[in-house]
Amino acid sequence: MKKTFMALTLATSVFALSACGNTGDEVVVSSEYGDITKDQFYDEIKSLAGNALLEQVVIEQILENNYKVTDEEVDEQFNSMKEQYGDSFASVLEANGLTEKAFKDNVRFSLLQEKAIKDVEVTDEEIKKYYDQAKYELNARHILVADEKTAKEVEDKLKKGEDFAKLAKEYSQDGSAAEGGELGWFTVGTMVPEFNDAAYALELNKVSEPVKTEFGYHIIEITDKREVKDYGTLEEKKDEIKETIAATKGDWDAKVAELVKDAKVNIKDEDLKSALNKYDTSSKDSKEEEKAAEK
């Protein structure tokens, strides 16, 4: 979940405005056609995008109270992005109706998000497994088919000694078919997890059983394996690997649901009660308890 520049700026300014100590009938805008008070402005914003904006503001407040982002971190990221935009930076700000401060607010929120997602438990066993795989690169080929029945048919033909490349050209349903299923060299994180783990578990020139992934059923063969040059020791790579695993394991909605629950958020405005519903695990917990009771 990445906050858009405009949404963040609008959310921050609108709800800061409504939270200040002035009365709701204070005039925000005056013209020949009448006045617009803070209450009127608040109600209008609420009807247009109240739930989404409140969600952003509440989550930002929760993150700021659970994670620390320094001004130095913000400045470093801000300067890096500014450099990427180059001469077009000012026009990007103008196009989004942003000041540099508002841009930095977005940068701060993004950094808070990153820290929340990384705040996921990673075990030593997971780090060791990743390291043992990542210090090697694999060269592989595969045959990808749509269903298990066809995969078993291909597997049987391979066991009978039929040529892998020939079967790949006949059966495989991806771009590697024309090359006999050749995938070339790859390392950890290149392939989907199911494929990755199956490939790294294979011995050289051995063919896997059908491996199911989101793309279908793969039959994999590892044709070569080599060490990654100067990869480093487990101790040297531990922190980097932990961050990588945490990023892939981190589920934003689940993490926010946990933080929202701990924060005991109570939305006073009845019209905005549903702003955080998607993070509400209470109903899910109740259903699980009911199922457990039935069993």
Side-chain angles (χ1 to χ4, degrees):
M1 173 183 157
K2 290 291 184 185
K3 212 183 296 188
T4 63
F5 292 146
M6 189 58 71
L8 173 58
T9 308
L10 188 58
T12 304
S13 59
V14 169
F15 286 96
L17 182 89
S18 65
C20 68
N22 297 315
T23 59
D25 59 0
E26 182 179 336
V27 175
V28 177
V29 177
S30 180
S31 74
E32 292 182 3
Y33 303 103
D35 298 331
I36 299 175
T37 67
K38 283 188 175 180
D39 276 349
Q40 289 173 321
F41 185 49
Y42 173 81
D43 288 341
E44 186 67 21
I45 291 295
K46 186 170 69 173
S47 68
L48 289 173
N51 282 349
L53 295 177
L54 182 60
E55 175 193 345
Q56 291 177 359
V57 174
V58 171
I59 289 172
E60 183 172 17
Q61 183 187 58
I62 290 172
L63 291 178
E64 285 177 342
N65 281 273
N66 282 273
Y67 303 96
K68 181 176 177 59
V69 171
T70 65
D71 291 341
E72 288 74 19
E73 289 175 300
V74 174
D75 288 340
E76 181 181 352
Q77 183 74 5
F78 171 80
N79 291 332
S80 175
M81 295 177 72
K82 186 175 181 179
E83 185 177 335
Q84 288 176 31
Y85 282 116
D87 294 338
S88 64
F89 182 68
S91 60
V92 170
L93 292 182
E94 184 178 355
N96 288 278
L98 294 173
T99 62
E100 287 198 0
K101 182 182 182 304
F103 191 98
K104 284 187 176 183
D105 286 341
N106 283 273
V107 170
R108 185 178 296 277
F109 184 83
S110 294
L111 291 172
L112 285 167
Q113 283 181 303
E114 289 176 14
K115 293 194 176 186
I117 292 173
K118 288 178 182 178
D119 186 22
V120 176
E121 183 181 359
V122 178
T123 66
D124 289 339
E125 289 75 17
E126 289 174 312
I127 294 172
K128 180 67 164 59
K129 176 187 174 183
Y130 188 100
Y131 176 81
D132 289 342
Q133 293 181 353
K135 64 183 180 179
Y136 293 102
E137 290 178 313
L138 304 180
N139 197 307
R141 56 184 180 175
H142 80 147
I143 300 171
L144 173 64
V145 297
D147 58 86
E148 188 174 13
K149 181 181 177 183
T150 307
K152 289 290 186 183
E153 181 183 327
V154 174
E155 182 184 22
D156 289 341
K157 289 187 176 185
L158 287 168
K159 286 180 178 178
K160 291 175 183 177
E162 294 197 33
D163 184 68
F164 193 104
K166 182 180 177 181
L167 290 173
K169 291 177 181 179
E170 180 182 350
Y171 283 93
S172 199
Q173 299 181 359
D174 78 334
S176 70
E179 304 298 325
E182 294 290 342
L183 296 171
W185 290 97
F186 64 90
T187 187
V188 172
T190 308
M191 306 297 184
V192 290
E194 301 89 349
F195 187 107
N196 179 89
D197 288 347
Y200 274 95
L202 276 175
E203 295 179 16
L204 277 179
N205 302 313
K206 297 292 184 181
V207 176
S208 74
E209 296 180 348
V211 178
K212 184 179 180 181
T213 75
E214 61 189 276
F215 301 106
Y217 289 81
H218 307 254
I219 295 173
I220 308 165
E221 182 184 9
I222 302 304
T223 56
D224 204 353
K225 182 177 182 178
R226 67 189 181 195
E227 287 191 31
V228 176
K229 188 177 179 180
D230 300 324
Y231 185 67
T233 66
L234 175 59
E235 195 59 36
E236 290 170 342
K237 303 292 289 186
K238 188 172 184 179
D239 290 342
E240 178 187 326
I241 292 172
K242 183 177 180 180
E243 286 186 10
T244 301
I245 296 174
T248 57
K249 287 178 68 178
D251 182 287
W252 172 252
D253 285 351
K255 185 62 188 178
V256 173
E258 176 190 332
L259 293 169
V260 168
K261 184 177 180 181
D262 291 343
K264 297 180 174 61
V265 177
N266 180 14
I267 299 174
K268 307 290 187 180
D269 191 320
E270 291 296 326
D271 295 330
L272 299 171
K273 282 288 187 183
S274 61
L276 300 176
N277 274 4
K278 71 178 181 182
Y279 305 116
D280 182 12
T281 58
S282 57
S283 58
K284 298 175 188 175
D285 293 341
S286 298
K287 288 179 182 177
E288 291 299 323
E289 290 172 3
E290 288 174 10
K291 289 180 182 178
E294 288 173 4
K295 290 180 182 179

Coordinates of all heavy atoms in Angstrom, one line a residue, residues 1-12 53 56 96 98 102-103 105-107 109-110 113:
M1 N 0.9 -1.2 0.0 CA 0.0 0.0 0.0 C 0.9 1.2 0.0 O 1.6 1.5 1.0 CB -0.9 0.0 1.3 CG -1.7 1.2 1.5 SD -2.6 1.2 3.0 CE -2.8 2.9 3.3
K2 N 0.9 1.9 -1.1 CA 1.7 3.1 -1.2 C 0.7 4.3 -1.3 O -0.2 4.3 -2.1 CB 2.6 3.1 -2.4 CG 3.7 2.1 -2.3 CD 4.7 2.5 -1.3 CE 5.9 1.5 -1.2 NZ 6.8 1.9 -0.1
K3 N 1.0 5.3 -0.5 CA 0.1 6.5 -0.5 C 0.5 7.4 -1.7 O 1.6 7.7 -1.9 CB 0.3 7.2 0.8 CG -0.9 7.9 1.3 CD -0.6 8.7 2.5 CE -0.2 7.9 3.7 NZ -0.1 8.7 4.9
T4 N -0.5 7.9 -2.4 CA -0.2 8.8 -3.5 C 0.1 10.2 -2.9 O -0.3 10.5 -1.8 CB -1.5 9.0 -4.4 OG1 -2.5 9.5 -3.6 CG2 -1.9 7.7 -5.0
F5 N 0.9 10.9 -3.6 CA 1.3 12.3 -3.1 C 0.1 13.1 -2.8 O 0.0 13.7 -1.7 CB 2.1 13.0 -4.2 CG 3.4 12.4 -4.4 CD1 4.0 12.4 -5.7 CD2 4.1 11.8 -3.4 CE1 5.2 11.8 -5.9 CE2 5.4 11.2 -3.6 CZ 5.9 11.2 -4.9
M6 N -0.9 13.2 -3.7 CA -2.1 14.0 -3.5 C -2.9 13.6 -2.3 O -3.4 14.4 -1.5 CB -2.9 14.1 -4.7 CG -4.0 15.1 -4.7 SD -3.4 16.8 -4.4 CE -2.6 17.1 -6.0
A7 N -3.1 12.2 -2.2 CA -3.9 11.7 -1.1 C -3.3 12.1 0.3 O -4.0 12.5 1.2 CB -4.1 10.2 -1.2
L8 N -2.0 11.9 0.4 CA -1.4 12.1 1.7 C -1.5 13.6 2.0 O -1.8 14.0 3.1 CB 0.1 11.7 1.6 CG 1.0 12.2 2.8 CD1 0.4 11.6 4.1 CD2 2.4 11.7 2.6
T9 N -1.2 14.5 1.1 CA -1.2 15.9 1.3 C -2.6 16.3 1.8 O -2.8 17.1 2.7 CB -0.8 16.7 0.1 OG1 0.4 16.2 -0.4 CG2 -0.7 18.2 0.4
L10 N -3.6 15.9 1.0 CA -5.0 16.2 1.3 C -5.4 15.7 2.7 O -6.0 16.4 3.5 CB -5.9 15.6 0.2 CG -7.4 16.1 0.3 CD1 -7.5 17.6 0.2 CD2 -8.1 15.4 -0.9
A11 N -5.1 14.4 3.0 CA -5.5 13.8 4.2 C -4.8 14.6 5.4 O -5.5 14.9 6.4 CB -5.0 12.4 4.3
T12 N -3.6 14.8 5.3 CA -2.9 15.5 6.4 C -3.5 16.9 6.7 O -3.7 17.3 7.8 CB -1.4 15.6 6.1 OG1 -0.9 14.3 5.8 CG2 -0.6 16.2 7.2
L53 N -9.2 8.7 3.5 CA -8.3 9.7 4.1 C -8.1 9.5 5.5 O -7.0 9.6 6.1 CB -8.9 11.1 3.8 CG -9.0 11.6 2.4 CD1 -9.6 13.0 2.3 CD2 -7.6 11.6 1.7
Q56 N -5.7 6.6 6.1 CA -4.3 7.0 5.9 C -3.8 7.8 7.1 O -2.7 7.5 7.6 CB -4.2 7.9 4.7 CG -4.4 7.1 3.4 CD -4.4 8.0 2.1 OE1 -4.2 9.2 2.3 NE2 -4.5 7.5 1.0
N96 N 1.4 17.8 -9.2 CA 0.7 17.1 -8.1 C 0.2 18.1 -7.0 O -0.3 17.7 -6.0 CB 1.6 16.0 -7.5 CG 1.8 14.8 -8.4 OD1 0.9 14.0 -8.4 ND2 2.9 14.8 -9.1
L98 N 2.1 19.9 -5.0 CA 2.9 19.6 -3.8 C 4.0 20.6 -3.5 O 4.5 21.2 -4.5 CB 3.5 18.2 -3.9 CG 2.6 17.0 -3.9 CD1 3.5 15.8 -4.2 CD2 1.9 16.9 -2.6
A102 N 5.6 18.6 1.5 CA 4.5 17.6 1.3 C 5.2 16.4 0.7 O 4.8 15.2 1.0 CB 3.4 18.1 0.4
F103 N 6.1 16.6 -0.2 CA 6.8 15.5 -0.8 C 7.6 14.7 0.2 O 7.6 13.5 0.2 CB 7.8 16.1 -1.9 CG 8.4 15.0 -2.8 CD1 7.9 14.8 -4.0 CD2 9.5 14.3 -2.4 CE1 8.4 13.8 -4.9 CE2 10.1 13.3 -3.2 CZ 9.5 13.1 -4.4
D105 N 6.8 14.5 3.3 CA 5.8 13.7 4.1 C 5.5 12.4 3.5 O 5.4 11.4 4.2 CB 4.5 14.5 4.2 CG 4.6 15.7 5.2 OD1 5.6 15.7 6.0 OD2 3.8 16.6 5.1
N106 N 5.5 12.3 2.2 CA 5.3 11.1 1.5 C 6.5 10.2 1.7 O 6.3 8.9 1.8 CB 5.0 11.3 0.0 CG 3.6 11.8 -0.3 OD1 2.7 11.0 -0.4 ND2 3.4 13.1 -0.3
V107 N 7.6 10.7 1.6 CA 8.9 10.0 1.7 C 8.9 9.4 3.1 O 9.2 8.2 3.3 CB 10.1 10.8 1.5 CG1 11.4 10.1 1.9 CG2 10.2 11.3 0.1
F109 N 6.4 8.7 5.1 CA 5.4 7.6 5.2 C 5.9 6.3 4.6 O 5.7 5.2 5.1 CB 4.0 8.0 4.6 CG 2.9 7.0 4.8 CD1 2.2 7.0 6.0 CD2 2.7 6.1 3.8 CE1 1.2 6.0 6.1 CE2 1.7 5.2 3.9 CZ 0.9 5.1 5.1
S110 N 6.5 6.4 3.4 CA 7.0 5.3 2.7 C 8.1 4.5 3.5 O 8.1 3.3 3.6 CB 7.6 5.7 1.3 OG 6.6 6.1 0.5
Q113 N 6.4 2.6 6.3 CA 5.8 1.4 5.7 C 6.9 0.3 5.6 O 6.7 -0.8 6.0 CB 5.2 1.7 4.4 CG 3.9 2.4 4.4 CD 3.3 2.6 3.0 OE1 4.0 3.2 2.2 NE2 2.1 2.0 2.7

